[in-house]
Amino acid sequence: MPTDIKETAHAVRAAALMGLFATRPRLLALGEPTHGEDALLALRNGLFRQLAEEEGYRTIAMESDCLKGLLVDDYVTTGTGTLDEVMEHGFSHGWGASEANRQLVRWMRAHNDGLPPSGRLRFAGIDGPLEMTGAASPRQALTALHGYLAGRVDPALLPCTARTLDRLLGADDRWTDPAVMTDPSRSVGTSSEAGRLRLLADDLVALLDTHAPHLLTVTSRDAWDRACLHGRTAVGLLRYHAAMADPSAARLTRLMSVRDQMMAHNLLAVADRAPALVHAHNSHLQRERSTVRMGGEPLQWWSAGALVNSRLGADYAFVATALGTLRHRGVDAPPPDTLEGLLYALPGDRCLVDAPRLAGVLGRQLPAPRPSPWFGYAPLDPAHLPAIDGIVFVKNVPQT
């Protein structure tokens, strides 16, 4: 191990993270190479606590349903509901079953107890209301947006009534049918009703925007922010359902693109509020195109991180997490000629690596890509090093 590579590594602390940047980024994105490992989430929890207590970060944003996340935010800020209820109903993708996520929510509630609203920590989901088996009905988002506007603007300006929305939406199981994932013909996303709903959603969002000066005087900023969230979620969900009805070869690419676009819009809204730590898969947060093979075909789309970075520049930072071993899931010690192999030779169990400095040390002699033994685990691409601000490396991830 060359000495100059060792000199790129530091202890995994918030202060060391901040040392990677000229100024504090509004969005500090911490990626992970795979999901479902509480040891990685516990590391995230510790960094968020340090960032909150030492660096002024006030929000944690996670790859979870943005609408469900409102329940978590209500709980950590005001104590609404119970911890058990929030863990059951406030997360998507099964994240509520994670003990590390439970510990995070419990700590945030305790930290906020007795603090004024301006000093409280906040929670945000950044994903759409999506699962691997399909997408939610746009009912919740559309009806919440309509309800917010109905009592606060001239009724004559509303493009439809709540009854019209209900009729066009129909039964929710038409939208959530899991068979649609493999059979585009089952989707209602390009039906005449869905087409009408897309126009109405656009009109409702436009009404929200054009009446912002009035609405921000008669409701709180939080109420306004939630109405905006419901608006962009309704638009995104309807766009996603339309892509689900696409029978062409571009269908999966469209779905990936729309999902990351929804994440990007939510991240930009979070950035408007306060400095935030963002946690999601590396592939969603990287500045480069995301790639994956599905059904034997390579797919490429611009990640949420790439979209946000194009808007925020230096106010967006990306720190990837890489791992050495994950033996309980078949990931053994990395080959020494790979990027993870070089990091595996560093002393200690975990470290923070200055990625641009490491790229400078390696020069043009990039290490080989590490092969992935299964879908969902994404080793770092050495070619992406110049577009990564830092790497949190965990040498051995224990089973939890």
Side-chain angles (χ1 to χ4, degrees):
M1 167 68 65
T3 301
D4 44 5
I5 291 182
K6 292 181 181 179
E7 291 175 352
T8 69
H10 311 277
V12 183
R13 297 283 304 177
L17 266 178
M18 291 297 103
L20 299 177
F21 319 116
T23 59
R24 181 180 69 177
R26 276 193 282 163
L27 292 181
L28 174 51
L30 176 65
E32 62 177 3
T34 188
H35 289 319
E37 296 301 323
D38 263 18
L40 299 181
L41 300 186
L43 177 61
R44 173 210 63 191
N45 291 355
L47 282 173
F48 178 59
R49 182 167 185 166
Q50 292 170 28
L51 289 166
E53 294 176 344
E54 302 168 14
E55 305 293 342
Y57 280 75
R58 286 293 173 264
T59 299
I60 186 164
M62 286 177 47
E63 184 185 337
S64 185
D65 183 332
C66 57
L67 299 186
K68 289 178 181 289
L70 296 175
L71 299 176
V72 185
D73 189 53
D74 283 342
Y75 177 75
V76 300
T77 55
T78 67
T80 302
T82 68
L83 180 59
D84 286 341
E85 291 168 346
V86 166
M87 300 312 298
E88 182 178 357
H89 302 294
F91 292 86
S92 58
H93 312 317
W95 302 152
S98 161
E99 179 59 29
N101 283 336
R102 188 181 187 89
Q103 291 172 2
L104 172 69
V105 174
R106 181 190 293 116
W107 174 77
M108 292 176 70
R109 173 82 283 273
H111 180 278
N112 285 340
D113 192 31
L115 291 178
S118 60
R120 294 172 190 165
L121 302 178
R122 303 293 298 270
F123 179 94
I126 63 167
D127 207 351
L130 312 171
E131 295 284 359
M132 290 297 293
T133 54
S137 162
R139 178 182 300 279
Q140 179 184 355
L142 274 173
T143 56
L145 174 60
H146 187 278
Y148 174 83
L149 291 167
R152 298 174 176 90
V153 301
D154 183 349
L157 296 175
L158 290 168
C160 67
T161 65
R163 181 175 297 180
T164 297
L165 279 183
D166 185 63
R167 176 178 58 79
L168 292 170
L169 286 162
D172 284 347
D173 58 10
R174 299 191 313 144
W175 300 89
T176 59
D177 180 4
V180 172
M181 285 306 296
T182 55
D183 184 359
S185 68
R186 299 283 294 269
S187 174
V188 298
T190 53
S191 64
S192 60
E193 293 90 349
R196 177 79 189 285
L197 286 168
R198 292 183 76 177
L199 291 174
L200 292 174
D202 183 71
D203 286 343
L204 289 168
V205 170
L207 190 60
L208 180 68
D209 187 43
T210 56
H211 282 69
H214 166 67
L215 293 169
L216 284 167
T217 62
V218 297
T219 65
S220 68
R221 179 59 190 254
D222 271 355
W224 158 260
D225 285 342
R226 290 195 174 196
C228 292
L229 171 61
H230 286 120
R232 61 179 177 268
T233 303
V235 170
L237 266 178
L238 287 163
R239 187 179 294 131
Y240 193 89
H241 279 287
M244 291 181 79
D246 180 6
S248 78
R251 180 180 189 250
L252 291 177
T253 299
R254 286 185 64 194
L255 290 173
M256 298 290 194
S257 298
V258 172
R259 182 187 180 196
D260 270 66
Q261 182 189 44
M262 293 177 74
M263 286 188 183
H265 289 167
N266 285 330
L267 283 172
L268 290 169
V270 168
D272 281 342
R273 188 162 66 190
L277 176 68
V278 183
H279 190 255
H281 198 282
N282 286 333
S283 62
H284 292 303
L285 299 178
Q286 65 188 29
R287 291 185 172 97
E288 308 286 352
R289 279 182 185 264
S290 293
T291 61
V292 71
R293 296 189 71 88
M294 296 187 71
E297 295 296 325
L299 306 179
Q300 285 193 333
W301 70 99
W302 288 108
S303 70
L307 298 175
V308 171
N309 183 71
S310 69
R311 295 279 296 275
L312 296 185
D315 274 327
Y316 180 76
F318 172 50
V319 176
T321 298
L323 56 88
T325 71
L326 191 64
R327 290 192 169 91
H328 57 280
R329 297 177 72 177
V331 180
D332 294 319
D337 63 341
T338 63
L339 178 58
E340 284 85 352
L342 289 175
L343 300 177
Y344 196 74
L346 291 169
D349 184 58
R350 59 182 62 174
C351 62
L352 172 67
V353 177
D354 184 328
R357 188 174 177 188
L358 176 62
V361 169
L362 296 175
R364 296 183 179 181
Q365 300 299 316
L366 291 178
R370 183 184 191 180
S372 174
W374 40 272
F375 178 79
Y377 164 54
L380 291 183
D381 185 341
H384 290 178
L385 269 180
I388 299 174
D389 296 303
I391 302 169
V392 172
F393 183 72
V394 181
K395 183 172 288 188
N396 300 292
V397 180
Q399 184 171 8
T400 51

